[in-house]
Amino acid sequence: MPPEPHDHEVCRALFARLSELIDRELTPAQSRRFERHLRACRHCQVCAETLRRTVELCRRAGESPVSGGLARRLQAMARRLTAAGGPPTAD
Amino acid sequence: MPTGTRAKPGVKDEDAELIRAINAGEGHRFQQLVEKYQQKLFNFGLRMCGEARDAEDMVQEAFLNAFRYLEGFRFETRFRNWLYRVAMSACLKTKRKARATRAETLSLEDFFPEDPAAMPEDVPSWARLPLERVLSAETSRYLQEAILDLPADHRSVLVLRDMEGLSTAETAQVLEITPANVKVRLHRARLFLRSRLKEHFEHAP
Ligand SMILES: [Zn+2]
């Protein structure tokens, strides 16, 4: 790829707002400006793709199941609270 | 319990009917709320505290407070988000002070590459391959550890936005900070995790 005339200040501006770009929280004009820069700048592409993947990994991180012990404790607590009728006192 | 920013009128809350019934005397149905949200709150607790024991204490404390304050719930926010706020307070209370976070503050400048020439020109495989090939149990564990190293005020934003799936506005409401603040903290938290993931994948065999 031939070196493009490169405006490092746009890299900096994009870097500051990359999450908003990923989350589609920018105005259409802002998005267009950054998307145009992204197409031309490999460094910013790497930045954007690694950040996007970071978000995906967070979103897809697995859930741990509630232990039987906790489920039973909660069930007993709910029963105790609602049997008392009113606001409980902490045990 | 603070009420926070009012939600727009007409916001649909899938739990409204159940809560009205509980507050109208069907107290035994509180159990349904517990069963519905225990899994969610437990995982929220794990992500915030790291230790299963702390998370379990937090869940119990949160449901106890939810029961106490349920009568005062005014449907000004979605019940789920109100519960997150109750859980967050419980979290601060139950969290043992044992674990000190490594990063105290995060600044954008720390993550901006000063020398762009030193940056890779190609998207690394961990960001390029299909997600299923990248997301292993080991990576999940590593990510959880990295999340625990975030400063607490950044961790709460990241967990609510990127793991619990709340919007920027909802997160702002739960944490009682401005949406602009949510965005700033979220971005820094993500950059922090990205640099940790980079280390993880670059040193992987
Ligand atoms: Zn650039």
Side-chain angles (χ1 to χ4, degrees), chain B residues 171-201:
Chain B
T171 303
Q173 201 175 48
V174 169
L175 298 176
E176 300 186 288
I177 57 177
T178 64
N181 222 322
V182 169
K183 289 184 190 184
V184 167
R185 290 187 204 174
L186 178 66
H187 188 45
R188 290 174 190 180
R190 285 173 175 178
L191 289 170
F192 175 86
L193 294 183
R194 185 185 65 147
S195 70
R196 295 294 289 271
L197 285 169
K198 218 189 275 179
E199 284 171 32
H200 171 67
F201 286 110

Short mmCIF file of all heavy atoms in Angstrom, two decimals, chain B residues 171-201:
data_model
loop_
_atom_site.label_atom_id
_atom_site.label_comp_id
_atom_site.label_asym_id
_atom_site.label_seq_id
_atom_site.Cartn_x
_atom_site.Cartn_y
_atom_site.Cartn_z
N THR B 171 -27.02 2.84 32.22
CA THR B 171 -25.83 2.76 33.07
C THR B 171 -25.66 4.05 33.86
O THR B 171 -25.35 4.03 35.06
CB THR B 171 -24.58 2.47 32.21
OG1 THR B 171 -24.81 1.27 31.47
CG2 THR B 171 -23.34 2.30 33.06
N ALA B 172 -25.87 5.17 33.18
CA ALA B 172 -25.77 6.47 33.85
C ALA B 172 -26.77 6.55 34.99
O ALA B 172 -26.46 7.03 36.08
CB ALA B 172 -26.01 7.59 32.84
N GLN B 173 -27.96 6.03 34.75
CA GLN B 173 -29.02 6.06 35.75
C GLN B 173 -28.66 5.18 36.96
O GLN B 173 -28.80 5.60 38.10
CB GLN B 173 -30.29 5.54 35.09
CG GLN B 173 -31.56 5.95 35.77
CD GLN B 173 -32.75 5.47 34.96
OE1 GLN B 173 -32.81 4.31 34.57
NE2 GLN B 173 -33.68 6.36 34.72
N VAL B 174 -28.18 3.98 36.69
CA VAL B 174 -27.83 3.06 37.78
C VAL B 174 -26.71 3.64 38.64
O VAL B 174 -26.75 3.59 39.85
CB VAL B 174 -27.41 1.67 37.22
CG1 VAL B 174 -26.80 0.81 38.32
CG2 VAL B 174 -28.60 0.96 36.60
N LEU B 175 -25.70 4.21 37.98
CA LEU B 175 -24.53 4.68 38.72
C LEU B 175 -24.64 6.14 39.15
O LEU B 175 -23.75 6.66 39.83
CB LEU B 175 -23.27 4.50 37.86
CG LEU B 175 -22.95 3.04 37.48
CD1 LEU B 175 -21.75 2.99 36.54
CD2 LEU B 175 -22.70 2.20 38.72
N GLU B 176 -25.73 6.79 38.72
CA GLU B 176 -25.94 8.20 39.04
C GLU B 176 -24.76 9.06 38.62
O GLU B 176 -24.22 9.85 39.39
CB GLU B 176 -26.26 8.36 40.54
CG GLU B 176 -27.51 7.58 40.90
CD GLU B 176 -27.98 7.81 42.33
OE1 GLU B 176 -27.29 7.31 43.24
OE2 GLU B 176 -29.01 8.45 42.51
N ILE B 177 -24.36 8.87 37.37
CA ILE B 177 -23.35 9.73 36.75
C ILE B 177 -23.91 10.15 35.39
O ILE B 177 -24.95 9.65 34.96
CB ILE B 177 -21.99 8.99 36.58
CG1 ILE B 177 -22.16 7.71 35.75
CG2 ILE B 177 -21.38 8.65 37.93
CD1 ILE B 177 -20.84 6.97 35.47
N THR B 178 -23.23 11.08 34.73
CA THR B 178 -23.76 11.56 33.45
C THR B 178 -23.44 10.55 32.34
O THR B 178 -22.45 9.81 32.43
CB THR B 178 -23.12 12.90 33.05
OG1 THR B 178 -21.71 12.68 32.84
CG2 THR B 178 -23.33 13.95 34.12
N PRO B 179 -24.25 10.55 31.27
CA PRO B 179 -23.95 9.69 30.13
C PRO B 179 -22.56 9.97 29.56
O PRO B 179 -21.86 9.04 29.15
CB PRO B 179 -25.04 10.03 29.12
CG PRO B 179 -26.18 10.53 29.95
CD PRO B 179 -25.55 11.24 31.11
N ALA B 180 -22.14 11.23 29.56
CA ALA B 180 -20.80 11.56 29.05
C ALA B 180 -19.73 10.87 29.88
O ALA B 180 -18.74 10.34 29.35
CB ALA B 180 -20.60 13.08 29.07
N ASN B 181 -19.96 10.84 31.17
CA ASN B 181 -19.04 10.17 32.08
C ASN B 181 -18.99 8.66 31.84
O ASN B 181 -17.94 8.02 31.91
CB ASN B 181 -19.49 10.44 33.52
CG ASN B 181 -18.33 10.76 34.41
OD1 ASN B 181 -17.28 10.14 34.27
ND2 ASN B 181 -18.52 11.68 35.33
N VAL B 182 -20.16 8.10 31.57
CA VAL B 182 -20.23 6.66 31.24
C VAL B 182 -19.34 6.39 30.03
O VAL B 182 -18.52 5.46 30.02
CB VAL B 182 -21.68 6.22 30.93
CG1 VAL B 182 -21.71 4.81 30.34
CG2 VAL B 182 -22.52 6.27 32.20
N LYS B 183 -19.47 7.21 29.00
CA LYS B 183 -18.72 6.98 27.77
C LYS B 183 -17.21 7.09 27.99
O LYS B 183 -16.44 6.29 27.47
CB LYS B 183 -19.13 8.01 26.71
CG LYS B 183 -20.53 7.79 26.17
CD LYS B 183 -20.80 8.79 25.07
CE LYS B 183 -22.25 8.80 24.65
NZ LYS B 183 -22.46 9.71 23.51
N VAL B 184 -16.81 8.08 28.77
CA VAL B 184 -15.38 8.27 29.04
C VAL B 184 -14.81 7.07 29.77
O VAL B 184 -13.79 6.50 29.38
CB VAL B 184 -15.15 9.57 29.86
CG1 VAL B 184 -13.72 9.61 30.41
CG2 VAL B 184 -15.42 10.79 29.00
N ARG B 185 -15.50 6.65 30.84
CA ARG B 185 -14.99 5.52 31.63
C ARG B 185 -15.02 4.22 30.84
O ARG B 185 -14.11 3.40 30.93
CB ARG B 185 -15.81 5.34 32.90
CG ARG B 185 -15.58 6.46 33.89
CD ARG B 185 -16.28 6.15 35.20
NE ARG B 185 -16.57 7.37 35.94
CZ ARG B 185 -17.26 7.40 37.07
NH1 ARG B 185 -17.76 6.28 37.57
NH2 ARG B 185 -17.49 8.54 37.68
N LEU B 186 -16.08 4.04 30.05
CA LEU B 186 -16.20 2.82 29.26
C LEU B 186 -15.04 2.71 28.27
O LEU B 186 -14.41 1.65 28.14
CB LEU B 186 -17.54 2.80 28.51
CG LEU B 186 -17.76 1.58 27.62
CD1 LEU B 186 -17.86 0.30 28.44
CD2 LEU B 186 -19.02 1.76 26.77
N HIS B 187 -14.77 3.80 27.60
CA HIS B 187 -13.71 3.77 26.58
C HIS B 187 -12.36 3.44 27.21
O HIS B 187 -11.61 2.61 26.70
CB HIS B 187 -13.67 5.12 25.86
CG HIS B 187 -12.75 5.15 24.68
ND1 HIS B 187 -12.71 4.12 23.75
CD2 HIS B 187 -11.82 6.05 24.27
CE1 HIS B 187 -11.79 4.41 22.83
NE2 HIS B 187 -11.24 5.57 23.13
N ARG B 188 -12.07 4.06 28.33
CA ARG B 188 -10.79 3.79 29.00
C ARG B 188 -10.71 2.35 29.51
O ARG B 188 -9.67 1.71 29.42
CB ARG B 188 -10.57 4.77 30.15
CG ARG B 188 -10.31 6.16 29.63
CD ARG B 188 -10.23 7.16 30.73
NE ARG B 188 -10.21 8.51 30.16
CZ ARG B 188 -10.15 9.60 30.87
NH1 ARG B 188 -10.08 9.54 32.18
NH2 ARG B 188 -10.14 10.78 30.28
N ALA B 189 -11.83 1.88 30.04
CA ALA B 189 -11.85 0.50 30.53
C ALA B 189 -11.62 -0.47 29.38
O ALA B 189 -10.87 -1.44 29.51
CB ALA B 189 -13.18 0.22 31.22
N ARG B 190 -12.26 -0.21 28.26
CA ARG B 190 -12.06 -1.10 27.10
C ARG B 190 -10.61 -1.07 26.62
O ARG B 190 -10.04 -2.10 26.26
CB ARG B 190 -12.98 -0.66 25.95
CG ARG B 190 -14.44 -1.03 26.15
CD ARG B 190 -15.26 -0.41 25.05
NE ARG B 190 -16.67 -0.79 25.08
CZ ARG B 190 -17.57 -0.32 24.23
NH1 ARG B 190 -17.21 0.55 23.30
NH2 ARG B 190 -18.83 -0.72 24.30
N LEU B 191 -10.02 0.12 26.59
CA LEU B 191 -8.63 0.23 26.15
C LEU B 191 -7.70 -0.53 27.10
O LEU B 191 -6.74 -1.17 26.67
CB LEU B 191 -8.21 1.70 26.06
CG LEU B 191 -8.84 2.50 24.91
CD1 LEU B 191 -8.54 3.98 25.09
CD2 LEU B 191 -8.34 2.01 23.55
N PHE B 192 -8.01 -0.44 28.38
CA PHE B 192 -7.22 -1.19 29.38
C PHE B 192 -7.32 -2.68 29.11
O PHE B 192 -6.31 -3.39 29.05
CB PHE B 192 -7.75 -0.85 30.78
CG PHE B 192 -7.11 -1.64 31.89
CD1 PHE B 192 -5.93 -1.22 32.47
CD2 PHE B 192 -7.71 -2.80 32.37
CE1 PHE B 192 -5.34 -1.95 33.51
CE2 PHE B 192 -7.13 -3.53 33.40
CZ PHE B 192 -5.94 -3.11 33.97
N LEU B 193 -8.53 -3.18 28.90
CA LEU B 193 -8.72 -4.61 28.64
C LEU B 193 -8.06 -5.01 27.33
O LEU B 193 -7.51 -6.10 27.21
CB LEU B 193 -10.20 -4.96 28.62
CG LEU B 193 -10.94 -4.81 29.95
CD1 LEU B 193 -12.38 -5.26 29.79
CD2 LEU B 193 -10.26 -5.62 31.06
N ARG B 194 -8.16 -4.14 26.34
CA ARG B 194 -7.54 -4.45 25.07
C ARG B 194 -6.04 -4.64 25.23
O ARG B 194 -5.46 -5.58 24.68
CB ARG B 194 -7.81 -3.34 24.05
CG ARG B 194 -7.28 -3.69 22.67
CD ARG B 194 -7.44 -2.55 21.73
NE ARG B 194 -6.62 -1.42 22.13
CZ ARG B 194 -6.06 -0.57 21.28
NH1 ARG B 194 -6.28 -0.72 19.99
NH2 ARG B 194 -5.35 0.43 21.72
N SER B 195 -5.41 -3.78 25.99
CA SER B 195 -3.96 -3.94 26.14
C SER B 195 -3.64 -5.23 26.91
O SER B 195 -2.65 -5.89 26.62
CB SER B 195 -3.34 -2.70 26.80
OG SER B 195 -3.73 -2.62 28.14
N ARG B 196 -4.50 -5.59 27.85
CA ARG B 196 -4.28 -6.85 28.57
C ARG B 196 -4.49 -8.05 27.66
O ARG B 196 -3.76 -9.04 27.71
CB ARG B 196 -5.19 -6.92 29.79
CG ARG B 196 -4.90 -5.86 30.84
CD ARG B 196 -3.53 -6.05 31.48
NE ARG B 196 -3.55 -7.21 32.33
CZ ARG B 196 -3.88 -7.20 33.62
NH1 ARG B 196 -4.16 -6.06 34.22
NH2 ARG B 196 -3.91 -8.30 34.32
N LEU B 197 -5.53 -7.98 26.82
CA LEU B 197 -5.79 -9.08 25.89
C LEU B 197 -4.64 -9.22 24.89
O LEU B 197 -4.24 -10.33 24.54
CB LEU B 197 -7.11 -8.85 25.15
CG LEU B 197 -8.38 -9.11 25.97
CD1 LEU B 197 -9.61 -8.60 25.22
CD2 LEU B 197 -8.53 -10.60 26.29
N LYS B 198 -4.13 -8.08 24.46
CA LYS B 198 -3.00 -8.09 23.54
C LYS B 198 -1.84 -8.88 24.17
O LYS B 198 -1.26 -9.76 23.54
CB LYS B 198 -2.58 -6.65 23.25
CG LYS B 198 -2.15 -6.41 21.82
CD LYS B 198 -1.56 -5.04 21.66
CE LYS B 198 -2.60 -3.96 21.43
NZ LYS B 198 -2.01 -2.60 21.30
N GLU B 199 -1.52 -8.55 25.42
CA GLU B 199 -0.45 -9.27 26.12
C GLU B 199 -0.75 -10.76 26.17
O GLU B 199 0.10 -11.59 25.91
CB GLU B 199 -0.32 -8.78 27.57
CG GLU B 199 0.36 -7.45 27.74
CD GLU B 199 0.25 -6.96 29.19
OE1 GLU B 199 0.22 -7.80 30.11
OE2 GLU B 199 0.17 -5.73 29.37
N HIS B 200 -1.99 -11.06 26.53
CA HIS B 200 -2.41 -12.45 26.67
C HIS B 200 -2.20 -13.23 25.37
O HIS B 200 -1.61 -14.30 25.36
CB HIS B 200 -3.88 -12.48 27.08
CG HIS B 200 -4.51 -13.83 27.05
ND1 HIS B 200 -4.14 -14.85 27.91
CD2 HIS B 200 -5.49 -14.35 26.28
CE1 HIS B 200 -4.87 -15.92 27.66
NE2 HIS B 200 -5.70 -15.64 26.68
N PHE B 201 -2.66 -12.67 24.28
CA PHE B 201 -2.60 -13.41 23.01
C PHE B 201 -1.20 -13.40 22.42
O PHE B 201 -0.81 -14.33 21.72
CB PHE B 201 -3.61 -12.86 22.02
CG PHE B 201 -5.02 -13.23 22.36
CD1 PHE B 201 -5.93 -12.29 22.82
CD2 PHE B 201 -5.45 -14.55 22.25
CE1 PHE B 201 -7.23 -12.64 23.14
CE2 PHE B 201 -6.75 -14.91 22.57
CZ PHE B 201 -7.64 -13.96 23.03
#
